[in-house]
């Protein structure tokens, strides 16, 4: 596969769904085991042949078909900002925040130098709406804070009787 979709979805996005498969350039998952909803993620095409500017996420019902679809653009999630700056490419230049598939060069990874943290966060947000509780993110470890001081003890209670 010229897009190297398997590596993109499993190694770079590190999607956490156990019941998942990659068919061609598309990622399919059943985030809720035994549920009727499926998740499909594929590369969003531009008007140019073999050029992609994001990911298309779709929630699919087993019987009713596609219920929702959302395109996560690479530009909006800063996926190729580093690469484009290094190449002197700006928003008005051809190829900005996109990648092209070259079928005659199967060894070339078209999404090389992609930064996928924000993109992964957007996928997590999308799936939390349609598949609540299925995204398994590890709890960040507690960082040791400053040493807590002992709080001051409260003043002794006053008696209500008056002394003469």
């Amino acid at each position: 596969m010229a897009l190297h979709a398997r590596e993109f979805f499993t190694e770079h996005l590190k999607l956490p769904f156990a019941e998942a498969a990659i068919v061609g350039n598309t990622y399919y998952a059943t985030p809720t085991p035994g549920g009727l909803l499926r998740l499909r993620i594929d590369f969003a095409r531009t008007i140019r042949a073999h050029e992609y500017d994001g990911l298309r996420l779709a929630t699919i019902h087993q019987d009713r078909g596609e219920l929702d679809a959302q395109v996560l653009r690479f530009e909006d999630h800063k996926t190729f900002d580093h690469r484009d700056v290094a190449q002197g490419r700006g928003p008005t230049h051809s190829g900005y925040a996109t990648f092209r598939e070259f079928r005659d060069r199967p060894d070339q990874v078209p999404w090389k130098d992609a930064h996928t943290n924000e993109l992964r966060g957007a996928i997590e947000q999308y799936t939390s709406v349609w598949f609540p509780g299925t995204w398994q993110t590890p709890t960040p470890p507690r960082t040791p804070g400053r040493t807590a001081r002992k709080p001051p003890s409260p003043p002794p209670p006053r008696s209500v009787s008056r002394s003469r």
Side-chain angles (χ1 to χ4, degrees):
M1 293 276 126
L3 282 180
H4 302 274
R6 181 170 306 282
E7 291 85 3
F8 183 78
F9 291 122
T10 59
E11 295 174 18
H12 290 279
L13 286 178
K14 297 178 182 161
L15 299 175
F17 308 115
E19 291 187 28
I22 298 167
V23 179
N25 295 326
T26 305
Y27 178 87
Y28 295 95
T30 306
T32 308
L36 296 175
L37 296 180
R38 309 287 187 261
L39 174 67
R40 180 182 66 210
I41 304 174
D42 50 0
F43 295 100
R45 298 171 189 246
T46 66
I47 60 172
R48 293 186 181 145
H50 310 294
E51 183 179 73
Y52 305 91
D53 68 349
L55 296 177
R56 183 177 188 277
L57 282 65
T59 301
I60 301 169
H61 188 276
Q62 184 173 316
D63 299 326
R64 296 183 199 146
E66 190 172 284
L67 299 178
D68 183 65
Q70 183 71 35
V71 173
L72 304 177
R73 294 186 39 187
F74 295 139
E75 181 178 7
D76 298 337
H77 298 94
K78 300 175 177 70
T79 307
F80 292 108
D81 278 5
H82 180 72
R83 177 203 69 184
D84 291 341
V85 167
Q87 293 178 355
R89 193 181 295 159
T92 59
H93 295 101
S94 177
Y96 176 76
T98 64
F99 70 81
R100 295 201 56 170
E101 173 185 13
F102 295 102
R103 294 176 185 250
D104 58 338
R105 294 186 282 189
D107 58 324
Q108 181 191 15
V109 179
W111 41 263
K112 183 180 176 202
D113 298 327
H115 293 229
T116 57
N117 290 340
E118 287 192 32
L119 196 59
R120 187 176 192 274
I123 294 170
E124 178 179 358
Q125 187 176 10
Y126 179 87
T127 56
S128 69
V129 171
W130 284 97
F131 310 97
T134 59
W135 192 275
Q136 302 300 324
T137 52
T139 306
R142 285 184 49 120
T143 56
R146 294 174 36 179
T147 305
R149 293 187 306 198
K150 194 173 190 179
S153 44
R158 290 183 161 178
S159 67
V160 285
S161 62
R162 297 177 93 187
S163 60
R164 289 192 179 188

